[in-house]
């Protein structure tokens, strides 16, 4: 199976899902369908999909909650299906990290066209994430901050690299532990905090006046969004 062709449709109205499945399959995508948010999350955690299409009104949770949860572990492109042409839905959807939305009723061809555009946009943007202050050399992997190359320990490097993948996203300590220290033997509750502290000190050494790493009390850490900087 071509990993870049997998699409998950999360929609509780079977006729809509079928029409969409048909339109996307005939364009060469491998389509899976789920009726429930909970089941969809599990599928998305355990499988690779190129894109997810989420209905806003699902029986067990809203598509927005599903998107928020999904965004805590995945950067997968998301297209929302909204039932109203409500601008609120559109704005919420895009604010919480969706790539686009389509209002019902829609033509399946239109959805397929949007999917193509999103995937093309993602492909062309991959590998060169830009941040206002940080830059990573794609060959050496070394990171510079305000044009100063950083001298980081292995874990500081992994931590900063992770935060840089999704500026603005809040990473819980437990998630960072799982992502970065999963093979480490010697860790404690303070491991993440300790490394954030040393990393901050190194950044501060270069620029006193900016604080790129944000602490979210009781939640975790994020890197300031490069585009608002
Ligand atoms: Ca629905």
């Amino acid at each position: 199976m071509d990993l870049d062709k997998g699409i998950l449709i999360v929609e509780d109205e079977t006729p809509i899902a079928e029409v969409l499945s048909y339109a996307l399959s005939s364009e060469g995508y491998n389509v899976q369908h789920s009726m429930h948010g909970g089941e969809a999350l599990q599928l998305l955690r355990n499988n690779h999909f190129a894109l997810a299409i989420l209905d806003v009104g699902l029986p067990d949770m809203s598509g927005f909650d599903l998107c928020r949860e999904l965004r805590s572990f995945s950067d997968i492109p998301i297209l929302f299906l909204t039932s109203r042409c409500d601008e609120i839905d559109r704005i919420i959807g895009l604010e919480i990290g969706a790539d686009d939305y389509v209002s019902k009723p829609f033509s399946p061809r239109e959805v397929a066209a949007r999917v193509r555009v999103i995937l093309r946009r993602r492909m062309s943007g991959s590998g060169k994430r830009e941040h206002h202050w940080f830059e990573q050399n794609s060959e050496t992997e070394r990171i510079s901050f305000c044009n100063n190359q950083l001298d980081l320990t292995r874990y500081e490097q992994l931590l900063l690299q992770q935060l840089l993948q999704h500026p603005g996203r809040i990473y819980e300590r437990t998630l960072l532990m799982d992502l970065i220290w999963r093979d480490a033997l010697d860790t404690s509750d303070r491991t993440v905090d300790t490394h954030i502290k040393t990393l901050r000190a190194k950044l501060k050494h270069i620029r006193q006046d900016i604080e790129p790493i944000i602490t979210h009390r009781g939640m975790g850490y994020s890197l300031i969004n490069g585009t608002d900087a």
Side-chain angles (χ1 to χ4, degrees):
M1 177 171 139
D2 184 344
L3 287 179
D4 295 325
K5 288 279 185 184
I7 293 182
L8 181 65
I9 299 175
V10 191
E11 165 64 78
D12 57 314
E13 284 165 81
T14 310
I16 294 182
E18 279 174 354
V19 166
L20 267 185
S21 275
Y22 180 78
L24 292 165
S25 305
S26 59
E27 298 226 358
Y29 297 105
N30 296 307
V31 184
Q32 275 195 60
H33 171 216
S34 173
M35 314 260 283
H36 294 93
E39 182 193 72
L41 274 174
Q42 202 136 16
L43 280 167
L44 288 156
R45 267 185 205 281
N46 299 321
N47 300 278
H48 176 92
F49 289 96
L51 181 140
I53 298 179
L54 311 181
D55 178 28
V56 172
L58 292 168
D60 58 334
M61 62 167 74
S62 84
F64 294 144
D65 290 339
L66 173 54
C67 174
R68 284 192 193 95
E69 196 139 334
L70 182 53
R71 279 285 173 257
S72 70
F73 64 90
S74 167
D75 193 28
I76 184 172
I78 293 173
L79 176 71
F80 269 119
L81 304 177
T82 66
S83 48
R84 294 151 282 170
C85 355
D86 199 339
E87 200 181 9
I88 300 289
D89 275 5
R90 183 178 80 85
I91 292 168
I92 294 175
L94 298 178
E95 262 178 2
I96 61 178
D99 293 76
D100 204 353
Y101 75 100
V102 182
S103 303
K104 294 177 185 175
F106 49 74
S107 90
R109 293 170 71 106
E110 184 195 347
V111 177
R114 301 273 185 122
V115 164
R116 250 194 331 267
V117 169
I118 295 172
L119 290 177
R120 200 182 308 131
R121 193 162 69 203
R122 282 289 180 119
M123 295 283 269
S124 64
S126 66
K128 356 167 214 176
R129 283 177 195 285
E130 286 184 10
H131 193 282
H132 193 66
W133 294 321
F134 293 93
E135 209 174 342
Q136 184 165 24
N137 183 307
S138 55
E139 274 165 40
T140 64
E141 296 215 321
R142 294 197 66 172
I143 302 172
S144 351
F145 174 57
C146 300
N147 300 318
N148 289 267
Q149 199 169 85
L150 291 166
D151 189 15
L152 303 176
T153 65
R154 173 163 175 255
Y155 285 116
E156 288 166 353
Q157 167 87 18
L158 291 172
L159 184 58
L160 182 54
Q161 236 166 257
Q162 188 64 52
L163 295 174
L164 265 171
Q165 277 194 24
H166 306 287
R169 178 164 329 157
I170 301 171
Y171 283 92
E172 291 168 21
R173 284 182 183 77
T174 49
L175 178 64
L176 289 171
M177 288 298 292
D178 287 348
L179 289 169
I180 295 163
W181 281 273
R182 73 188 149 215
D183 302 325
L185 300 170
D186 191 19
T187 57
S188 76
D189 293 355
R190 309 293 301 162
T191 301
V192 175
D193 298 344
T194 309
H195 285 82
I196 290 277
K197 202 172 157 189
T198 55
L199 189 52
R200 274 184 172 147
K202 289 182 181 177
L203 301 177
K204 196 120 267 179
H205 190 71
I206 294 169
R207 282 285 295 266
Q208 289 269 343
D209 58 325
I210 21 190
E211 182 54 88
I213 301 174
I214 303 166
T215 305
H216 302 266
R217 258 176 226 299
M219 293 164 75
Y221 297 103
S222 69
L223 195 72
I224 196 162
N225 200 329
T227 49
D228 346 303

